[in-house]
Amino acid sequence: DAKTTQPTSMDCAEGRAANLPCNHSTISGNEYVYWYRQIHSQGPQYIIHGLKNNETNEMASLIITEDRKSSTLILPHATLRDTAVYYCIVRVPGNAGGTSYGKLTFGQGTILTVHP
Amino acid sequence: EAGVAQSPRYKIIEKRQSVAFWCNPISGHATLYWYQQILGQGPKLLIQFQNNGVVDDSQLPKDRFSAERLKGVDSTLKIQPAKLEDSAVYLCASSPRTGGYTEAFFGQGTRLTVV
């Protein structure tokens, strides 16, 4: 799986948008970009994933650059409960033929602190 | 739907003792993962099962760690004997299927302290 680079920490004011960058310059054509977050004392939680188009769900938006070498996770209106470690992961999805099993490899992540 | 269940939540043992962790994945999930998370670091994959077969155990310290997944459902992870550096949170996760997009659902983990 391709390596990702994220800032160690970021701050955000409550109610403002939080924009978390991720660099994945060695990403391959069939690798997806996934984002997970981990709130203190809990297991990681899936947020969103994408291949090359921008994606949005009830939690966040994912913006992937045209060359796919970087992406940004956007939390549109951050709350105190969004304080967590955010992990950007690139991975090949598993396939039914069994030649790829969708290994999920975590890096250090970005510590996002949302303050009042 | 019920989430991934892990037990115990906390465990304190002395070095050289043995310990076992249990995981019950979400019903019907084919893929099961065990991760080790040392304080201040991201989770590290120890072993990945597809049904009851191992597909990746490259980072499992096989001289002391073992894992099994009986009948492709529940799984246990064992450490024997434990070392001080095994102090960590052990996370279990499961995914619905092999092919295509595979979101992983994580349990709350077992916090192990080796003294």
Side-chain angles (χ1 to χ4, degrees):
Chain A
D1 292 341
K3 183 175 179 178
T4 62
T5 303
Q6 299 178 251
T8 302
S9 63
M10 295 183 64
D11 287 336
C12 178
E14 189 176 21
R16 304 298 293 270
N19 298 287
L20 291 91
C22 179
N23 181 283
H24 32 79
S25 57
T26 59
I27 193 170
S28 300
N30 62 343
E31 288 184 308
Y32 283 70
V33 179
Y34 285 75
W35 284 83
Y36 280 75
R37 74 178 183 184
Q38 188 171 25
I39 295 171
H40 183 63
S41 295
Q42 296 184 21
Q45 174 193 25
Y46 166 82
I47 301 173
I48 199 168
H49 79 286
L51 182 61
K52 51 186 174 182
N53 298 319
N54 298 337
E55 303 288 345
T56 296
N57 63 20
E58 65 278 4
M59 289 182 68
S61 294
L62 174 60
I63 309 298
I64 302 174
T65 57
E66 193 170 343
D67 63 8
R68 302 209 325 122
K69 293 185 176 181
S70 65
S71 61
T72 301
L73 178 75
I74 301 172
L75 308 178
H77 306 287
T79 71
L80 299 179
R81 289 176 294 180
D82 292 322
T83 293
V85 180
Y86 287 77
Y87 297 99
C88 170
I89 301 166
V90 292
R91 67 190 288 221
V92 177
N95 62 50
T99 56
S100 172
Y101 294 98
K103 185 174 179 179
L104 195 60
T105 303
F106 289 82
Q108 292 286 90
T110 295
I111 301 170
L112 175 69
T113 303
V114 181
H115 51 85
Chain B
E1 113 188 309
V4 175
Q6 290 189 246
S7 67
R9 283 297 313 276
Y10 305 93
K11 189 75 176 178
I12 301 174
I13 62 172
E14 295 183 349
K15 61 183 178 183
R16 292 188 288 273
Q17 284 188 324
S18 302
V19 64
F21 312 126
W22 175 81
C23 174
N24 180 228
I26 294 173
S27 178
H29 280 196
T31 307
L32 186 146
Y33 312 79
W34 280 104
Y35 285 84
Q36 179 192 59
Q37 186 171 25
I38 293 172
L39 186 65
Q41 299 181 16
K44 181 181 88 170
L45 179 67
L46 292 176
I47 189 167
Q48 180 176 343
F49 291 93
Q50 192 62 32
N51 297 308
N52 61 351
V54 176
V55 299
D56 188 337
D57 62 357
S58 56
Q59 297 195 88
L60 187 73
K62 299 180 186 61
D63 58 333
R64 299 185 300 107
F65 286 65
S66 64
E68 60 180 2
R69 189 180 184 194
L70 300 175
K71 300 181 181 178
V73 184
D74 291 6
S75 178
T76 56
L77 176 70
K78 296 179 181 178
I79 307 175
Q80 180 179 8
K83 294 184 175 182
L84 295 177
E85 59 260 36
D86 298 331
S87 293
V89 175
Y90 290 85
L91 294 160
C92 179
S94 67
S95 291
R97 60 190 180 277
T98 306
Y101 154 59
T102 51
E103 172 189 346
F105 296 83
F106 283 80
Q108 288 199 294
T110 296
R111 181 177 298 277
L112 173 68
T113 302
V114 182
V115 297

